[in-house]
Amino acid sequence: MLRHEFQPGRLVAGCFLTVAGVVYAGDAGGAWEAPWFVAFPLVVGGLCLAGAAGVLSRSIRRKGRNPGRPSEPWSTPRA
């Protein structure tokens, strides 16, 4: 498996969407009663936390880079 960079924002978003799915699966299976509006705070809260984690992760990565190198791949190379 190829190595890839860790993206905590996607992990957080996936966890919250999975929890929302489990809540509704439990409701559909009769394990408990979940009101119809439960998904909105779960999904919106999860996406807000995922965005915050992504911004924090990006700022930490940019801070650790070499200041002499361009940070974006589309920037022009130095001659």
Side-chain angles (χ1 to χ4, degrees), residues 3 17 34 39 62-63:
R3 299 195 85 161
L17 291 173
R62 292 187 92 181
K63 188 176 183 180

Side-chain angles (χ1 to χ4, degrees), residues 10-64:
R10 290 185 181 192
L11 176 68
V12 171
C15 288
F16 273 87
L17 291 173
T18 301
V19 167
V22 167
V23 166
Y24 278 108
D27 184 34
W32 56 76
E33 285 289 319
W36 63 271
F37 56 85
V38 169
F40 293 116
L42 279 174
V43 171
V44 171
L47 290 177
C48 288
L49 287 174
V55 167
L56 181 66
S57 172
R58 183 176 172 101
S59 68
I60 290 171
R61 283 195 184 114
R62 292 187 92 181
K63 188 176 183 180

